[in-house]
Amino acid sequence: MTMVNGYEQSDREEKIDILNLESLEGRAKEIIPTGGFGYIVGGSEDEWTLKKNRDAFHHRQIAPKALSGMENPDLSTNVFGIPLKTPVMMAPTAAQGLAHSQGEKDTAKGVAAVGGLMAQSTYSSTSIADTAAAADGAPQFFQLYMSKDWSFNESLLDEAKEAGVKAIILTVDATVDGYREADIINDFAFPIPMANLTKFSEGDGQGKGIEEIYASAAQNIKPEDVRRIAEYTDLPVIVKGIQTPEDAIRAIDAGAAGIYVSNHGGRQLNGGPASFDVLESISKAVNGQVPIIFDSGVRRGSDVFKALASGADLVAFGRPVIYGLALGGAQGVQAVFDHIDHELEIVMQLAGTKTIEDVKKTHLLDIKY
Amino acid sequence: MTMVNGYEQSDREEKIDILNLESLEGRAKEIIPTGGFGYIVGGSEDEWTLKKNRDAFHHRQIAPKALSGMENPDLSTNVFGIPLKTPVMMAPTAAQGLAHSQGEKDTAKGVAAVGGLMAQSTYSSTSIADTAAAADGAPQFFQLYMSKDWSFNESLLDEAKEAGVKAIILTVDATVDGYREADIINDFAFPIPMANLTKFSEGDGQGKGIEEIYASAAQNIKPEDVRRIAEYTDLPVIVKGIQTPEDAIRAIDAGAAGIYVSNHGGRQLNGGPASFDVLESISKAVNGQVPIIFDSGVRRGSDVFKALASGADLVAFGRPVIYGLALGGAQGVQAVFDHIDHELEIVMQLAGTKTIEDVKKTHLLDIKY
Amino acid sequence: MTMVNGYEQSDREEKIDILNLESLEGRAKEIIPTGGFGYIVGGSEDEWTLKKNRDAFHHRQIAPKALSGMENPDLSTNVFGIPLKTPVMMAPTAAQGLAHSQGEKDTAKGVAAVGGLMAQSTYSSTSIADTAAAADGAPQFFQLYMSKDWSFNESLLDEAKEAGVKAIILTVDATVDGYREADIINDFAFPIPMANLTKFSEGDGQGKGIEEIYASAAQNIKPEDVRRIAEYTDLPVIVKGIQTPEDAIRAIDAGAAGIYVSNHGGRQLNGGPASFDVLESISKAVNGQVPIIFDSGVRRGSDVFKALASGADLVAFGRPVIYGLALGGAQGVQAVFDHIDHELEIVMQLAGTKTIEDVKKTHLLDIKY
Amino acid sequence: MTMVNGYEQSDREEKIDILNLESLEGRAKEIIPTGGFGYIVGGSEDEWTLKKNRDAFHHRQIAPKALSGMENPDLSTNVFGIPLKTPVMMAPTAAQGLAHSQGEKDTAKGVAAVGGLMAQSTYSSTSIADTAAAADGAPQFFQLYMSKDWSFNESLLDEAKEAGVKAIILTVDATVDGYREADIINDFAFPIPMANLTKFSEGDGQGKGIEEIYASAAQNIKPEDVRRIAEYTDLPVIVKGIQTPEDAIRAIDAGAAGIYVSNHGGRQLNGGPASFDVLESISKAVNGQVPIIFDSGVRRGSDVFKALASGADLVAFGRPVIYGLALGGAQGVQAVFDHIDHELEIVMQLAGTKTIEDVKKTHLLDIKY
């Protein structure tokens, strides 16, 4: 354990055995301090949307495929022109130092080891450059929480571009902090600085709650901001936090090069729909104009399959990776991806889908349970 | 504590911390005597309708709004020509002396402090004049349980008008007491007099059960009574206890200036629908002819949002306020309103709705969960 | 307690307090011996249909009625030309000596005291004549489990007619015993003779299980049997155990003067629908040609209301009455009817229905919960 | 107990009492060692599909039939030209030596004693010839897990034909092992050899996990394989693991003489539909061209009835029989079939269905619960 400002960070670097990703939560809870764990695991209000994010995958079912004449399913894909060995990517997730002393650097290493894609968060514990360096050339995106201070945005975007990120993810569903009760119960303030905020006039986030940090960011985000960031960076801008077809179209009209369907893992607007339940309608509206990334509730290979079959091009998750990070560092992260890839591979074989493209063409059932 | 007729009334006057309104019930249970608490918390029969009042809010979902280009949502509204700082109002709730020695006077103070609207109940522990005085000029409505004795009704209406109330709420869903098992289990009789009943020939309610008190009121309430009260008072009459479009139309035809959609918090007709589930159909039938007030089951900012988006102009609640009253007096009441307003503000920001009018124009999803 | 063949019969004769009918089950369990209680309470297989009988009442909802201009609801009705003070009747229920030493005689007294209707079972513990005498002129029906031996049927029907019963209920849903696990677990055999079976060549039922007793009855019941019984007795024949419109029509075509919609309280065909869920479709098919009796799952006044509003003319129940019988004899039976009538009266008032005819014309909601 | 390689096999040969088949699981768990029991009872991933296999039978309901004029239902049937005394057959189930020292031989005896049909599994603990001999002339099918090594397939098919099996069941839903967590938790490897695998170059299965064994089998199974097996054996080939109408048609086009609707008891593709929920659509597509066998979740006579009424010609189950085998050897197996036949007989009587053909013509209800 590494002790920072009275907060005990894991510094494990070891292989971990994984039965399933759901079971990691309980194991991680034993080693991540209460405040940090509550911040990671929690959702907003009574967590109804958080719970429905999981249940929703049962709303559609995968039919096994008989006599498919295939074997050795292939998980590789290519999205935004980037070749990847797995369609499962690391969602942008803040403050990974809460889980491990190496924070995003270890996550980046683990993701790189599986040939996957990682998105850095604005609120990372490690700097853009350090996290990028840890990936050793593997592809990364940078997620932007837009500041009210445009010069600060430019500074972050400059650094991200310098670090070679392939795209900017603009988060638009967090213009105010969701009402997260775990943070209130724990009176949680970040014990660890956020590396990218050291340039902020207000400081580095340390000692602040997430509500306060979000308040420093822009509440008012407009369509023009999408184009402005795209033009400034000359990188694809992916708009994250889309839950309706209308918003997807507006984002594309504003210049979005990708749509990221997410309800922030149930951490923002409680009382909204499960993210999976809105994916297909958004996908139909987007109609292939730009790639779609999906997250919120993904824990199983079958979840990944269902999301791809409902219109996603990439499927992201955060919490399970953070738990793997806490439990084993970069090797833990790698194990989490290896595990979900293994489950996905089984499902692909049983569903008779040789490639990710085959999965995307699969018709799911929608029996009501 | 203040001891009245062997009943221990809270007399706390202090700030209270609130995690969420659901959690107030357990805290209040510790300080309100069993009989009084059972009267407040209970519903009728096996409380199926009471439970469904809460669940029903999940039947419709709020879609978060991306790139909305807004900030600083504004909760103020204007209903019945009355400017209000919040669309959440205090429902008419009987016998608040069960929760606090200052009863409705403290509630009135708390509601006034947040710029809200309060409805006094016929069965208040404090008099119309005293409760009105405590509000210090803030707007109030008066709720009438019609007596069989018309001269008594006139006397109450005179006093209400004298006190400056802005409207009369005529309750029509309690022509007999719902079968409330908690009151039977506790053999509950009111330990504290009802100030407005001192004029009743039958006495002031003290020592009686609610069933007996309702029996003194009119069972037979007709459309003509609406007009009669309106003409007598020259005030808007709002008919409370509407659960069908047909009844709403009949009430309007009878002269109602407002429709109050409520199932009395699940305390009257068990086996009826959840109040939220019938709101939209009523709203469509009313079609803007008169304002609509909604209650029954509201505990979250997202509930308020959903009710407004389903046709309500004002959203009322009672039990949580009573719990706040018990826990902190006027300051407790204020804290309850501040809390739900805070949750509502977050939801409004995330849903991209700047004003209450924007909320009312929002289209909810209706995914089946 | 009265001890008969090692079986302890209640012989209480006293007033009982009732909170609700559901709670009687637990109270009765304390005084009825295990084997007898298991026989009374149990359903078939895993009791899925038994449970759904209760849940089904939530599938339709009663809308409260505002400004109805009524008071003092009237529960009296007239079915089969018989004036009754309540639409709730005593279902034919076997072997009431399991619950009380006075058996059906006390039940008959209690039902008579409330001005209701009782149906005697073929498998009664007391004789047709004795049970009829106890009713002191109040109306009764006689339920027939048809024997393979027609002369035995004639003997029972003669006795019933002699006793003045107003109609014959022919049970057709028990041509074999449902697979009732409680009886198997308890290795239950009737400790008390069935008075009507003493004429049977095979004996009086004592020491046999219900499976064996049913096996002595006819398995093969045909439409012609309905007419044969009607012609023999010149009494109305009501066919009990109908769950589909097709069967109702066939029974009427066979000469049935009434349709009894029931799934035998979940004791026969498990995996079938809840009885309430099929009532309306049957009522539509019957279309007023003959009266409809309904049972299976009724415990609340609101259940009675919903059944009447879905097409029933009379609503029957058995188990709660048996529990009342065990707890208080004839007075216990009376209390059970008084209680459900009281709940029904409240519901009728709140739903704005002055008479049973008004209830029957009420349109229920069918919101999905 | 017989101890084999440290594994304790039951060697009970005795009559067993059965309350219901669900309760056998708990009793068998007490005598089958943990690893073996986990292998038998487990499903894949979080066992959602496994659970839904049971729940799904409630999606359709059996209406009791009044005045049906029938008695003495007859369970005999004739499928694939084979006369059977019961429509319930033994599903092909691997490694029955895990439950009993006599393994498939006792199962074969028990099935033969009830006049039923048994399917041997490729992964049987006893040899094709021995299992066939134990059946003493009663009909058997042979289930093939196709090997990558065609000469091995020929060798097995030769032996099966030599043993007189009436049909070949080709399993197509296990081209890779489902992700079965119980086996991982128990680190389960087969302690007992699989008799048919002794010819395999890779060995007899002993000491391997099921994942490894499946990996030795063919992953790539094509339509042509169906015809090749049919032509090689000149026996009917039944394709097992069908869950969609499309696959059923493709299998028939490939020469299948029967369709076996199954999701492998929830052991393969989790996240797929309940097997019963897809049966009717498949039956409609097959439209009587070939017989249909159904399994997955069957535990009750009413389940068998519902499957037959939804298009199945034979209904199979495995786990309950294995539990009976462990608890009583051949007599235990016989008791399991006798029990479900008894339940089915009751249901048939109450539903007014004299024959299996009558059952198949029955229209089920589909009320939503």
Side-chain angles (χ1 to χ4, degrees), chain C residues 23-349:
Chain C
S23 64
L24 294 181
E25 183 179 309
R27 291 164 64 185
K29 189 177 185 177
E30 292 176 16
I31 61 170
I32 302 177
T34 302
F37 184 77
Y39 171 74
I40 295 163
V41 77
S44 52
E45 290 193 4
D46 63 3
E47 302 189 336
W48 182 83
T49 297
L50 175 79
K51 290 183 196 82
K52 294 302 157 186
N53 277 343
R54 286 290 307 133
D55 298 346
F57 291 104
H58 296 316
H59 293 179
R60 310 188 80 194
Q61 305 90 36
I62 309 167
K65 177 87 175 171
L67 304 169
S68 62
M70 63 140 291
E71 59 191 324
N72 303 325
D74 176 5
L75 275 65
S76 69
T77 189
N78 188 310
V79 185
F80 297 103
I82 306 164
L84 298 165
K85 289 193 183 150
T86 169
V88 185
M89 68 171 279
M90 176 62 190
T93 309
Q96 300 179 19
L98 295 173
H100 198 278
S101 63
Q102 295 305 303
E104 287 77 3
K105 290 184 292 181
D106 263 14
T107 305
K109 278 184 204 168
V111 174
V114 297
L117 175 67
M118 170 164 177
Q120 294 192 27
S121 165
T122 291
Y123 299 153
S124 290
S125 303
T126 60
S127 72
I128 296 174
D130 287 353
T131 310
D136 201 20
Q140 294 194 336
F141 289 174
F142 176 73
Q143 175 271 344
L144 180 69
Y145 278 121
M146 215 174 83
S147 171
K148 288 164 179 158
D149 177 356
W150 184 250
S151 63
F152 178 71
N153 293 327
E154 290 186 346
S155 156
L156 286 178
L157 294 169
D158 289 346
E159 193 178 340
K161 196 159 181 185
E162 172 79 17
V165 305
K166 307 290 188 193
I168 304 299
I169 296 173
L170 174 66
T171 298
V172 298
D173 66 356
T175 58
V176 65
D177 182 36
Y179 189 71
R180 302 184 195 167
E181 301 192 356
D183 290 346
I184 295 168
I185 292 169
N186 296 326
D187 197 15
F188 179 67
F190 290 99
I192 298 156
M194 291 162 171
N196 296 326
L197 299 198
T198 53
K199 302 172 177 181
F200 242 120
S201 52
E202 292 88 355
D204 62 10
Q206 187 190 325
K208 294 186 180 177
I210 183 69
E211 188 179 351
E212 201 177 350
I213 288 169
Y214 275 142
S216 304
Q219 269 75 59
N220 184 333
I221 307 181
K222 298 173 295 294
E224 304 92 87
D225 296 317
V226 178
R227 197 169 307 278
R228 188 175 184 184
I229 294 165
E231 290 176 354
Y232 183 80
T233 58
D234 206 23
L235 285 171
V237 176
I238 299 158
V239 178
K240 176 171 182 280
I242 299 294
Q243 293 278 280
T244 61
E246 296 75 24
D247 280 10
I249 297 306
R250 194 166 56 249
I252 292 171
D253 289 347
I259 292 297
Y260 195 134
V261 174
S262 168
N263 60 26
H264 218 116
R267 295 161 78 82
Q268 288 296 110
L269 179 53
N270 192 48
S275 192
F276 179 68
D277 283 328
V278 297
L279 173 56
E280 193 181 42
S281 65
I282 295 171
S283 162
K284 286 184 175 165
V286 169
N287 197 22
Q289 298 176 71
V290 298
I292 292 175
I293 304 175
F294 169 83
D295 80 20
S296 295
V298 174
R299 296 293 179 274
R300 289 280 181 181
S302 51
D303 302 338
V304 176
F305 188 102
K306 290 176 182 180
L308 292 168
S310 301
D313 296 281
L314 284 173
V315 178
F317 62 168
R319 290 183 184 96
V321 181
I322 301 302
Y323 302 143
L325 174 66
L327 292 164
Q331 293 178 71
V333 169
Q334 186 176 346
V336 167
F337 280 87
D338 283 344
H339 181 86
I340 201 163
D341 282 351
H342 177 55
E343 285 190 4
L344 175 59
E345 202 172 356
I346 292 171
V347 173
M348 285 176 69
Q349 174 67 36

Side-chain angles (χ1 to χ4, degrees), chain A residues 103-352:
Chain A
E104 289 77 2
K105 289 185 292 183
D106 262 14
T107 306
K109 277 184 203 166
V111 174
V114 297
L117 175 67
M118 171 165 175
Q120 293 193 28
S121 164
T122 290
Y123 298 153
S124 291
S125 302
T126 60
S127 73
I128 296 174
D130 287 352
T131 310
D136 199 19
Q140 294 194 336
F141 289 174
F142 176 72
Q143 175 272 344
L144 180 70
Y145 278 121
M146 216 175 83
S147 171
K148 289 164 179 158
D149 176 356
W150 184 251
S151 64
F152 178 71
N153 293 327
E154 290 186 343
S155 155
L156 285 179
L157 294 170
D158 290 346
E159 191 177 341
K161 195 160 181 182
E162 171 80 16
V165 305
K166 307 288 188 194
I168 304 298
I169 296 173
L170 175 67
T171 298
V172 297
D173 65 358
T175 58
V176 65
D177 181 36
Y179 189 72
R180 302 183 196 169
E181 301 191 357
D183 290 347
I184 295 167
I185 292 170
N186 295 326
D187 197 16
F188 179 67
F190 289 100
I192 298 156
M194 291 162 171
N196 297 326
L197 299 199
T198 53
K199 302 171 177 180
F200 242 122
S201 52
E202 292 88 353
D204 61 10
Q206 188 189 323
K208 294 187 180 177
I210 183 69
E211 189 179 349
E212 202 177 352
I213 288 168
Y214 274 143
S216 304
Q219 269 75 58
N220 185 335
I221 307 181
K222 297 172 297 294
E224 306 89 88
D225 295 318
V226 179
R227 198 171 308 279
R228 188 175 184 185
I229 295 166
E231 288 176 354
Y232 183 79
T233 58
D234 205 23
L235 285 172
V237 176
I238 300 159
V239 178
K240 175 170 182 283
I242 299 294
Q243 293 278 280
T244 61
E246 297 74 25
D247 281 9
I249 297 306
R250 194 167 58 250
I252 291 170
D253 289 348
I259 293 297
Y260 195 134
V261 174
S262 169
N263 60 25
H264 218 115
R267 295 160 77 84
Q268 288 295 109
L269 179 53
N270 192 47
S275 193
F276 179 68
D277 283 328
V278 297
L279 173 58
E280 192 181 41
S281 65
I282 295 171
S283 162
K284 284 184 177 167
V286 169
N287 197 21
Q289 296 175 71
V290 299
I292 294 175
I293 303 176
F294 169 82
D295 79 20
S296 296
V298 174
R299 295 293 179 275
R300 288 281 181 180
S302 51
D303 301 339
V304 176
F305 187 102
K306 289 176 181 179
L308 293 168
S310 300
D313 296 281
L314 284 173
V315 178
F317 62 167
R319 291 182 184 98
V321 181
I322 301 301
Y323 301 143
L325 174 66
L327 292 164
Q331 293 178 70
V333 168
Q334 185 176 346
V336 167
F337 279 88
D338 282 344
H339 182 86
I340 201 163
D341 282 351
H342 176 56
E343 284 189 4
L344 175 58
E345 201 172 359
I346 292 171
V347 174
M348 286 176 68
Q349 173 67 36
L350 297 175

